[in-house]
Structure formats: structure tokens, C-alpha cells
């Protein structure tokens, strides 16, 4: 098993433990939210604080988290940037099992620049 597959697997397990058995990790936050990855993909939302070029972290987060939650969390961690991501457990055989939005600088003007990944898992 590759190192990336092992990390992805561990992240998915951690997300399942964090979210609990009654939560479906790909469900939309509300009827108006964009979600183009259906529940069958086993999608997990990921917030990734980044302090370029020193470090990056990947944190599975509850489905209720928003762009602003990830930005605030990343700032608290001492990051300079952050990315919204999705990890997928169930995809077609040759499909990519992850998606990332653009990296965003943590600043006041970033509040108007949500950069969800495509496909999106509820960001």
C-alpha cells in the first residue's frame, strides 16, 4: 500500500471516529448548499492549514464546518494559508479519490473568496 493510500485511509478512519456513526460525511449542510459529490462517494470534508513553505496539516472536519470555520481554525493553528478539500472512499475504479480547492491566503478579504474543491463535498 502506498504512503498516500495509507494516509488517506487513516484520515478516513479518523473522520469516521470524529463524525460518529449517525453522521453521513457527504451530506449537504443545507438545501441551498452546492454538493456535487453524492452520499455514495463516502465523502469526508478536510480543512488543510498551510504555513508555506514550512508545514501543512490535513484535518477531517464535521459536515457542519464552513469556509469561515476552516479559515478561523487555520489561523488559530498559526497557518498563513488554507485549502478546502474532500476525500472520497467510493469512486469508480480510475477516478481520483481526493479534490482540493485553491490555496487561500488568510486575510480579511478572503472571506469573500470561498474556493471549494471540484467535486465538492459540501463546502
Amino acid at each position: 500500500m502506498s504512503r498516500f493510500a495509507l494516509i488517506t485511509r487513516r484520515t478516513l478512519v479518523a473522520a469516521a471516529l470524529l463524525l460518529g456513526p449517525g453522521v453521513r460525511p457527504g451530506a449537504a449542510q443545507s438545501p441551498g448548499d452546492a454538493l456535487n459529490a453524492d452520499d455514495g462517494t463516502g465523502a469526508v470534508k478536510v480543512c488543510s492549514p498551510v504555513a508555506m513553505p514550512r508545514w501543512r496539516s490535513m484535518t477531517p472536519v464535521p459536515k457542519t464546518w464552513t469556509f469561515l470555520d476552516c479559515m478561523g481554525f487555520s489561523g488559530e493553528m498559526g497557518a498563513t494559508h488554507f485549502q478546502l478539500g474532500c476525500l472520497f472512499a467510493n469512486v469508480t475504479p480510475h477516478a481520483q479519490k481526493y479534490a482540493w480547492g485553491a490555496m487561500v491566503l488568510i486575510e480579511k478579504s478572503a472571506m469573500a473568496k470561498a474556493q471549494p474543491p471540484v467535486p465538492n463535498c459540501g463546502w
Side-chain angles (χ1 to χ4, degrees):
M1 180 179 298
S2 74
R3 184 172 183 254
F4 177 77
L6 184 59
I7 291 169
T8 301
R9 189 174 193 177
R10 286 181 182 164
T11 302
L12 289 172
V13 169
L17 293 172
L18 174 69
L19 297 172
V23 176
R24 292 183 352 247
Q29 295 178 32
S30 70
D33 287 343
L35 176 67
N36 58 15
D38 66 26
D39 289 343
T41 62
V44 174
K45 291 171 83 168
V46 179
C47 174
S48 183
V50 181
M52 293 177 53
R54 298 182 309 266
W55 58 266
R56 168 189 287 271
S57 175
M58 287 180 37
T59 305
V61 298
K63 69 178 186 172
T64 57
W65 273 42
T66 66
F67 171 82
L68 294 175
D69 293 324
C70 183
M71 183 171 73
F73 172 73
S74 298
E76 292 282 329
M77 297 290 295
T80 56
H81 296 73
F82 69 102
Q83 275 183 295
L84 306 178
C86 298
L87 301 177
F88 306 102
N90 306 311
V91 294
T92 57
H94 301 288
Q96 191 166 293
K97 292 186 176 184
Y98 57 90
W100 292 105
M103 192 166 311
V104 178
L105 179 65
I106 298 172
E107 60 183 353
K108 192 171 187 173
S109 66
M111 293 190 291
K113 299 182 204 173
Q115 297 288 329
V118 176
N120 184 6
C121 57
W123 283 110

